[in-house]
Amino acid sequence: MFGTSRKPTFEVKSSPIQGLGGFATRPIRKGTRIIEYLGERITPKEADRRYDDELSEHSHVLLFTVDGKTVIDAGVKGNDAHFINHSCEPNCETVVDNRRVYIEALRAIDVGEELTYDYNLQFEGRLDAKVKARYACRCGTPSCRGSMLEARPARRKKSARKPSHARG
């Protein structure tokens, strides 16, 4: 695990959110850099080739986009960071520092508490019922938005300005 303590910062075990999750094994102070998100560094094109959204239930949750040229594939040479689950009310956040990705505590975290961060997954294309189900959030928090996908801005009333559209 990341850090100077002999005792690991967290352990991986069954999660009420989804599958396995990371749970604090000791108190973690706000701002603590918990672990680096590791995996094979690949291009976005290679990530798309490896993980077909149509064939996998949660394919892109192993991928972390560093920048326009680099994606980390935690499914290859990854570490326990990829077990940290999504939450709409996270206690951690991701920080990109010198093209490396770290999970840091947003607030103090108690022993036994599950570590989470907001995945803010991006999806290009039409958000039909199948896509929404594939990326459904199960965090159960009061402000759960129901999706691991990045929150889209609310639609504004029509104006005289021509709207811009994302590819899809």
Side-chain angles (χ1 to χ4, degrees), residues 26-125:
R26 59 184 172 90
I28 302 171
R29 290 193 328 247
K30 177 181 178 177
T32 299
R33 193 166 272 189
I34 299 168
I35 190 169
E36 182 175 358
Y37 194 95
L38 296 177
E40 184 179 6
R41 290 176 169 265
I42 58 177
T43 64
K45 185 176 180 178
E46 175 63 11
D48 288 341
R49 187 193 70 74
R50 286 184 186 182
Y51 298 98
D52 183 343
D53 270 347
E54 294 300 316
L55 301 176
S56 179
E57 185 181 350
H58 296 294
S59 59
H60 283 85
V61 299
L62 292 174
L63 301 175
F64 195 102
T65 301
V66 177
D67 55 34
K69 296 178 183 178
T70 307
V71 175
I72 297 173
D73 181 356
V76 180
K77 302 178 188 172
N79 61 358
D80 286 348
H82 82 272
F83 290 110
I84 298 175
N85 279 316
H86 163 86
S87 176
C88 297
E89 290 182 24
N91 55 18
C92 297
E93 66 181 337
T94 57
V95 175
V96 179
D97 183 6
N98 200 26
R99 301 187 70 232
R100 295 170 71 179
V101 178
Y102 300 94
I103 310 296
E104 291 187 3
L106 278 170
R107 61 168 175 77
I109 300 170
D110 294 327
V111 173
E113 190 174 346
E114 183 168 5
L115 306 179
T116 60
Y117 66 93
D118 190 335
Y119 287 5
N120 278 315
L121 297 175
Q122 297 177 355
F123 182 83
E124 291 184 19

